[in-house]
Amino acid sequence: MTTNKTKVAIYARVNQEQEGLDNQLQALRAYCEANEIEIYAEYVDEGVSGISIERRHSLQRLLEDAEKQQFHEVLVWRIDRLSRKTIELISLVNELQQRHVQVRSVTENLDFSTPSGRYTLQMLAAVYEYEYNTAFRK
């Protein structure tokens, strides 16, 4: 028997606080269970900043697996988990969508494939970069 369930990749990232990572993963797993979504894999970057993808090995593996079309969607707790740099976040979402992989944030509940979702993505990306620059770069 085959199933048509959507396969998702869970992505979580924290730069310092382990508790935040555990909370993200727990919320993402619960979302998948409640919505009967199959988890393909969990990609976790711990102890790295969200301002660049260079040292984020799990995110790089996720992009490689997206290229192989191993899953249909990337699920994050909040969109800034992917990146806190505006241009990089928009580029990542574009790259995934070109590979027919959608991005979903469980807390922001937005569809980034629609015009209003793309607009909101751009606004959120700018806010998250500003937040990073004012809170973490003193």
Side-chain angles (χ1 to χ4, degrees):
M1 178 183 201
T2 61
T3 110
N4 289 331
K5 278 186 166 181
T6 297
K7 279 197 267 182
V8 301
I10 285 179
Y11 181 74
R13 179 192 60 79
V14 294
N15 51 340
Q16 294 177 351
E17 192 179 312
Q18 176 65 33
E19 181 182 318
L21 180 62
D22 294 339
N23 290 342
Q24 284 179 54
L25 290 170
Q26 186 177 41
L28 294 167
R29 291 173 188 143
Y31 178 90
C32 289
E33 185 176 327
N35 291 283
E36 298 181 355
I37 297 171
E38 179 184 345
I39 299 171
Y40 168 75
E42 293 180 3
Y43 302 82
V44 177
D45 282 314
E46 185 177 353
V48 290
S49 169
I51 204 67
S52 173
I53 67 167
E54 288 181 17
R55 293 187 3 223
R56 294 168 52 204
H57 303 292
S58 290
L59 180 58
Q60 292 172 11
R61 274 193 1 259
L62 181 146
L63 293 171
E64 290 168 7
D65 288 348
E67 180 72 32
K68 299 173 193 169
Q69 298 186 334
Q70 298 294 318
F71 47 83
H72 309 101
E73 190 170 72
V74 174
L75 192 63
V76 293
W77 179 73
R78 204 168 97 163
I79 198 67
D80 72 339
R81 300 300 82 203
L82 285 175
S83 182
R84 283 191 171 254
K85 191 173 190 179
T86 304
I87 191 94
E88 195 169 82
L89 178 56
I90 293 168
S91 178
L92 280 169
V93 171
N94 283 338
E95 184 177 341
L96 288 164
Q97 287 179 337
Q98 287 173 356
R99 294 173 181 174
H100 305 287
V101 174
Q102 295 304 312
V103 178
R104 179 182 308 271
S105 160
V106 298
T107 58
E108 292 145 339
N109 194 25
L110 296 165
D111 180 353
F112 300 118
S113 66
T114 67
S116 62
R118 302 286 301 165
Y119 172 76
T120 305
L121 172 65
Q122 293 169 15
M123 295 302 107
L124 284 174
V127 167
Y128 292 143
E129 183 172 346
Y130 174 79
E131 179 182 77
Y132 173 82
N133 286 329
T134 57
F136 299 109
R137 298 179 109 193
K138 293 182 179 182

